[in-house]
Amino acid sequence: MPRMHGTLAAMSSAEKRIQDAAMRLFAERGVTQVTVSELAEAAGVARGTIYNRKSDVGTLFEQLATRLTEEMTTRIDATMAGIDDPARRIATGIRLFVRRAHEEPPWGRFVARFGATAPTMRALLAAGPSRDLEQGVRGRRLVLRREQIAAALAMMSASVLGAIVSVVDGHQTWREAGSTTAELFLRALGVPLDEARALSKEELPPLEAETQ
């Protein structure tokens, strides 16, 4: 497996196939190690294609988790660049995650499987909301004490992962799961009911594409 430098958009066709295969294998099996033979078979490439890239397959999971975290964080930041209200940013971010799980089920299953256990994946769910919660506390937009931010992040992450599982397993639509999760979390942060409901049902912008 080649090291995942640069953007996903800049990957070669073979690199993309290998990454997608690795993501499926990790998510389906719930393990963080695969063999070269398993990866080659799942990706539909020769073992030599992987060996020729002089990769350490043992570090593949961490490479993949890091790359997916960087990619999603960059795209969400770009998508919400014009949104200043921390409550709106939180609701939008939650729904962007849940919608992507619907649009890209292998990605959703990978996030659902490892989002609570792998440190890199935990960072994926916490980085942006942490800043938004800090801003909301400073501006008194959210009813939350600073020492409660860590607990709020844990609650939000668990709720988003639950919504993703519900979507990829076919129990809810992404709109239902995303809006319900966003509304309940905003209510927990002290946002009035009518406003929380409105923010959770606003038209959702498209997720910005990753630039090369």
Side-chain angles (χ1 to χ4, degrees), residues 21-40:
M23 186 162 57
R24 290 195 308 272
L25 287 173
F26 290 138
E28 290 169 1
R29 299 181 181 183
V31 298
T32 59
Q33 296 292 327
V34 295
T35 67
V36 171
S37 295
E38 291 169 335
L39 186 57

Side-chain angles (χ1 to χ4, degrees), residues 36-103:
V36 171
S37 295
E38 291 169 335
L39 186 57
E41 181 179 359
V45 301
R47 287 163 54 95
T49 301
I50 297 173
Y51 282 125
N52 289 342
R53 284 165 170 74
K54 300 179 181 179
S55 171
D56 178 4
V57 176
T59 65
L60 177 56
F61 176 84
E62 188 57 33
Q63 288 185 48
L64 178 60
T66 298
R67 190 64 203 88
L68 292 180
T69 296
E70 292 172 350
E71 179 253 359
M72 187 59 171
T73 300
T74 298
R75 294 178 67 185
I76 283 191
D77 285 348
T79 301
M80 299 200 298
I83 303 176
D84 296 322
D85 175 29
R88 178 172 277 111
R89 287 179 61 86
I90 289 168
T92 301
I94 287 172
R95 295 169 67 218
L96 286 172
F97 266 90
V98 177
R99 185 178 66 186
R100 185 173 182 183
H102 160 74
E103 294 173 343

Side-chain angles (χ1 to χ4, degrees), residues 18 31-32 35 58 82 100 124-125 131 134 144 164 184 192 199:
I18 292 169
V31 298
T32 59
T35 67
R100 185 173 182 183
L124 167 63
L125 293 165
R131 297 191 299 268
E134 288 277 2
L144 187 72
I164 288 175
L184 290 175
L199 289 173

